Amino acid sequence: MSDGATARFDLFEPLAERCTGESVTMVICPGITNHNENQYIRTFVDYAQKNGYRCAMLNHLGTLPNFEFTSPRMFTYGCT
């Protein structure tokens, strides 16, 4: 991003085929301090995968402990 922030998405492939045969990607944007290691997110992604959805999971800036924080900010809703 323009201020040096690195957006991080994790992609989870479907574990089953959808009944319609379509390939669908669900983009998941969790609450402000959450990431793909939270139990409620992992449960939701598992359910979606088992129902044939590919999931693209946004990890908010600075929430993952093992990845470098590259921005002077942690979060913004359009600089409001």
Side-chain angles (χ1 to χ4, degrees):
M1 298 180 195
S2 61
D3 67 352
T6 303
R8 182 170 175 83
F9 284 85
D10 289 311
L11 188 63
F12 300 92
E13 293 295 332
L15 299 175
E17 189 172 314
R18 289 185 37 81
C19 61
T20 62
E22 297 174 305
S23 176
V24 178
T25 301
M26 180 186 305
V27 178
I28 303 166
C29 298
I32 189 170
T33 61
N34 293 298
H35 49 77
N36 71 2
E37 295 175 5
N38 289 106
Q39 187 62 38
Y40 87 96
I41 295 292
R42 293 174 76 89
T43 300
F44 181 76
V45 168
D46 181 63
Y47 180 80
Q49 287 179 288
K50 288 177 179 174
N51 284 279
Y53 291 91
R54 177 184 304 105
C55 299
M57 168 68 202
L58 171 67
N59 295 294
H60 286 291
L61 300 176
T63 59
L64 288 172
N66 297 324
F67 292 93
E68 182 181 353
F69 186 55
T70 61
S71 171
R73 66 182 167 90
M74 287 195 65
F75 187 77
T76 182
Y77 274 127
C79 298
T80 57

